Amino acid sequence: MHADLSRLTHRPERHYSAVVAQQGRVQLDADANEQTAIQLFQARTLAADLIGPHGGPRGATGFRIALRGGSRELDDLVIGGGRYYVDGILCDATRPQPGVPVPAHGTADTGKEGKDGGDGEPAAPPATWTYWDQPDGFRDPERPGDRLPTAFPYLVYLKVWERLVTAAEDPALREVALGSALPDTAARAKVVWQVLPLPAAALGLNTGNPTVDEVRAAFARWAEQAATPGSRLAARSEHPGPTDDEPCLVAPDARYRGPENQLYRVEVHDGGSAKDATFKWSRENGSVTFPVDGLDGTWAELATLGSDDKLDLDVGDLVEFVDTGYTSRGEAEPLLRVEEVDLPGRRVRLSGEPAPGVGRRPELHPFLRRWDHHESSRRTSGPGARDGRLRHGALPVEEGGWLPLEDGVEVWFAPGGSYRTGDFWLIPARTATGGVEWPTDPARRPLLQYPSGIAVHFAPLAWIAGEQTEPDLRLAFSPLAASIPAADDAALAAEEEARAAESGDATYGSPYDASGPAPSRSQTTAAAEAAVDEEGTA
């Protein structure tokens, strides 16, 4: 969540059911965000408990996959519309249709909206998404790695996660009545889904003809491994080593020394093992962004250069060139350095051109995201200590030693980690305590924590064994509600007699009536048996 937040306080293990506001108190973003997180957690947990790991409503189950092959064109997948739930998260594959515009002046409305009748009217868009134009896929036919496998069989699956969208990426979120001088307001959380292929070899099913159950079981094992984070981190405010056993001799600067409260974000940039992985950090949770109005080589024209000295761009700052496609693909391109700032022209010159395919399409709302790390001359502590030189603009991951960020804040990567691009940890730092908010054990040793995100979810959709051979791997559930059967007069009378008999109504004979023995069964039951006997003897 790259947003201007104070901190995230939702802890599912504490089992809070609601946030209760108190009168006369300060309202904080963390309280409102925790209420939203509690409601989402409850709703999605309930849906997952009732539906299972994945499934769709019968009659409206989305994401039906059909292979569309061609001898000259690249293979494509047709994605059927409808809804599907993955770990309780609703995914909707319904393709929205455009509205009907007002006819141009001087032309007649023929009532054939969206059809190309040869008069320049655009053709109607397709009714369903495909692999190549899915809304958050951003697959590129020019990239061989994006193409569908040419060898059968392979599995098609659904990848789902959630990300934050701010006004830098969706300008419609900004209230223009507030003016350009004021910051934007609330951000939005968006469910992102992608339909992707997975070779059979990745599932260990490259031989034989597996059944649908075997394919589902193999995918479940693969998905569990892919969704499980493989890295852990701890954070602390600096504590000098020589005085660990002498609390009274701790130096006054052995604490968080920043002038303001901050929410530090440590995010993995390049994934892989520790020798290949890099990370970046921001003191503002990565929320300092600058929308790009134009790009000319290494010069980027910005909508604004920032509102103050704290949130602006300076020479030497490291920035990430981002747009919607780049974010959805989850890639890691080299960070760029600001080499020159042209204040009158609202332009900055970067150390290099953005990667191909990033920032060239205005409809994808490109922007620069500022990161606050710099190349450091300070060496790390612990085994395998190295200097702080950057790699592609990011800091190398160094496991087993405390790495300084700034103002006394340090982080520690657990040895043997496996890192994924985009995984992040949040570290609130507070001036009132001179420390960071991080869980510790009774001896106040920082505890290792898995990333706060990104939480990724998976579901199998189809097993593509060849053209016209697409075994469906989706699951469907039926509604719980059912029709109430109508009751006739005879049934109502029988129910009334049964209730009267159970309550000892004198009209139907009380079990305590002295005139005869207590009946062992109700008159309704006796009458029903007598009727059966009469029918049998007729």
Side-chain angles (χ1 to χ4, degrees), residues 237-409:
S237 52
E238 184 181 2
H239 189 77
T243 59
D244 283 346
D245 299 328
E246 303 274 351
C248 297
L249 300 180
V250 174
D253 61 350
R255 62 197 302 271
Y256 170 58
R257 300 182 294 274
E260 298 182 11
N261 299 318
Q262 303 289 1
L263 180 62
Y264 286 91
R265 180 189 188 94
V266 175
E267 181 174 319
V268 176
H269 189 65
D270 294 293
S273 61
K275 66 182 181 62
D276 300 319
T278 61
F279 74 98
K280 55 205 174 188
W281 62 263
S282 164
R283 67 178 69 94
E284 305 286 348
N285 190 30
S287 64
V288 181
T289 57
F290 305 87
V292 175
D293 288 342
L295 182 64
D296 182 10
T298 59
W299 282 94
E301 181 183 349
L302 309 179
T304 176
L305 285 173
S307 55
D308 54 36
D309 293 340
K310 178 184 175 184
L311 304 176
D312 61 4
L313 277 178
D314 294 320
V315 173
D317 287 342
L318 291 167
V319 295
E320 186 174 13
F321 214 108
V322 181
D323 62 18
T324 301
Y326 175 85
T327 303
S328 297
R329 292 180 62 93
E331 297 176 329
E333 298 293 348
L335 303 182
L336 303 174
R337 173 187 164 94
V338 176
E339 301 288 353
E340 185 178 350
V341 178
D342 176 15
L343 292 177
R346 295 199 318 273
R347 301 188 307 160
V348 294
R349 183 170 62 85
L350 305 175
S351 57
E353 290 191 39
V358 181
R360 272 74 174 184
R361 297 170 57 184
E363 68 273 15
L364 297 184
H365 305 293
F367 61 90
L368 300 180
R369 187 186 306 282
R370 192 191 75 186
W371 295 95
D372 296 321
H373 63 274
H374 293 85
E375 198 164 55
S376 173
S377 58
R378 178 175 177 178
R379 293 183 60 85
T380 59
S381 60
R386 293 179 289 176
D387 58 33
R389 293 183 179 178
L390 302 181
R391 186 191 304 155
H392 300 148
L395 294 163
V397 167
E398 301 174 19
E399 297 179 333
W402 287 103
L403 308 178
L405 301 187
E406 68 173 3
D407 293 331
V409 178

Side-chain angles (χ1 to χ4, degrees), residues 478-484:
S478 299
L480 296 176
S483 357
I484 299 175

Side-chain angles (χ1 to χ4, degrees), residues 1-3 5-9 11 233-235 262-267 282-286 371 405 409 411 423-429 436-439 449-453:
M1 288 188 175
H2 299 92
L5 309 175
S6 59
R7 57 178 183 160
L8 294 180
T9 58
R11 302 291 184 270
L233 176 140
Q262 303 289 1
L263 180 62
Y264 286 91
R265 180 189 188 94
V266 175
E267 181 174 319
S282 164
R283 67 178 69 94
E284 305 286 348
N285 190 30
W371 295 95
L405 301 187
V409 178
V411 296
D423 281 353
F424 66 92
W425 295 262
L426 299 180
I427 309 169
V436 299
E437 296 182 0
W438 193 266
Q449 300 289 299
Y450 287 107
S452 302

